[in-house]
Amino acid sequence: ILNVEQSPQSLHVQEGDSTNFTCSFPSSNFYALHWYRWETAKSPEALFVMTLNGDEKKKGRISATLNTKEGYSYLYIKGSQPEDSATYLCASAIQGAQKLVFGQGTRLTINP
Amino acid sequence: SAVISQKPSRDICQRGTSLTIQCQVDSQVTMMFWYRQQPGQSLTLIATANQGSEATYESGFVIDKFPISRPNLTFSTLTVSNMSPEDSSIYLCSIGGWGGQPQHFGDGTRLSIL
């Protein structure tokens, strides 16, 4: 069974501070790692899709890194803003299985 | 990217009844996915729906409880049958990839069972 773990489960950050959280996944037969942002009452929105060990991707103030050998990915948010408040989901895919397995998410709240 | 319309957006249902959730895409897609998120749990894949074939269900989900239709390349339905309070969840349909391409989700159906 593919097990994807995210930590922490929830996080409160002061506006303007930077933060990061972790996604752990099995490293064997790795195929891809996805990050999504899910705001309340909206649909999950794709942030990053990463497939190569050492990948680093950036979208504005948000960036992500990938280590497929040890099975983890970090998501970083620089200079947090209230609109960053959301649940951040990671999901992993393994070779041969045409599906994503999601972690439980990190619920981020930015305090003004 | 594709526009995905999912309805109803929310419903409150009585125990023992069934509800059908619809997912309409504005372009033709081969695979559609149905997920469930129970309170405090991760987003869990229920089944993959391919047009022209039976849906493929994940472990723990069965066709009698969650029948799926996929009559064409732009539409799918998920029925939650004989509902109990444990079925109270957010149900999402999605399209797209699992590898190098992201998935795109509908807005979800927030279902509460009394």
Side-chain angles (χ1 to χ4, degrees), chain A residues 31-32 34 36 38-44 46 49 51 89 93-94 97-100 102-104, chain B residues 31 33 35 37 40-43 45 48 58 90 92 97-103 105-107 110:
Chain A
Y31 190 56
H34 294 210
Y36 294 85
W38 194 0
E39 297 179 65
T40 303
K42 295 186 178 180
S43 58
V49 175
T51 57
L89 299 170
I94 60 173
Q98 297 179 342
K99 64 181 182 182
L100 289 173
F102 283 81
Q104 284 187 301
Chain B
M31 298 175 77
F33 303 91
Y35 291 88
Q37 188 189 42
Q41 304 296 313
S42 60
L43 198 57
L45 183 64
T48 303
E58 296 299 307
I90 300 174
L92 288 162
W98 59 92
Q101 297 300 318
Q103 289 199 4
F105 292 86
D107 284 341
R110 285 149 179 83

Side-chain angles (χ1 to χ4, degrees), chain B residues 23-35:
Chain B
C23 187
Q24 178 77 52
V25 186
D26 69 347
S27 59
Q28 294 184 339
V29 295
T30 305
M31 298 175 77
M32 294 178 75
F33 303 91
W34 287 98
Y35 291 88

Side-chain angles (χ1 to χ4, degrees), chain B residues 53-69:
Chain B
S53 64
E54 295 287 330
T56 302
Y57 288 83
E58 296 299 307
S59 175
F61 297 97
V62 295
I63 188 171
D64 289 346
K65 175 67 176 177
F66 297 102
I68 287 172
S69 78

Side-chain angles (χ1 to χ4, degrees), chain B residues 46-111:
Chain B
I46 298 171
T48 303
N50 293 327
Q51 195 272 331
S53 64
E54 295 287 330
T56 302
Y57 288 83
E58 296 299 307
S59 175
F61 297 97
V62 295
I63 188 171
D64 289 346
K65 175 67 176 177
F66 297 102
I68 287 172
S69 78
R70 186 78 204 274
N72 56 54
L73 289 172
T74 64
F75 186 77
S76 180
T77 67
L78 170 78
T79 298
V80 186
S81 303
N82 188 23
M83 290 183 284
S84 65
E86 294 72 37
D87 294 319
S88 297
S89 300
I90 300 174
Y91 292 85
L92 288 162
C93 67
S94 75
I95 63 171
W98 59 92
Q101 297 300 318
Q103 289 199 4
H104 302 281
F105 292 86
D107 284 341
T109 297
R110 285 149 179 83
L111 182 57

Side-chain angles (χ1 to χ4, degrees), chain A residues 8-53:
Chain A
Q9 288 191 1
S10 66
L11 192 55
H12 290 253
V13 175
Q14 205 63 33
E15 182 177 354
D17 288 351
S18 297
T19 188
N20 65 84
F21 27 92
T22 309
C23 174
S24 301
F25 53 89
S27 55
S28 58
N29 298 317
F30 171 84
Y31 190 56
L33 192 286
H34 294 210
W35 281 100
Y36 294 85
R37 174 169 59 201
W38 194 0
E39 297 179 65
T40 303
K42 295 186 178 180
S43 58
E45 170 198 0
L47 290 173
F48 305 112
V49 175
M50 295 186 287
T51 57
L52 298 176
N53 184 45

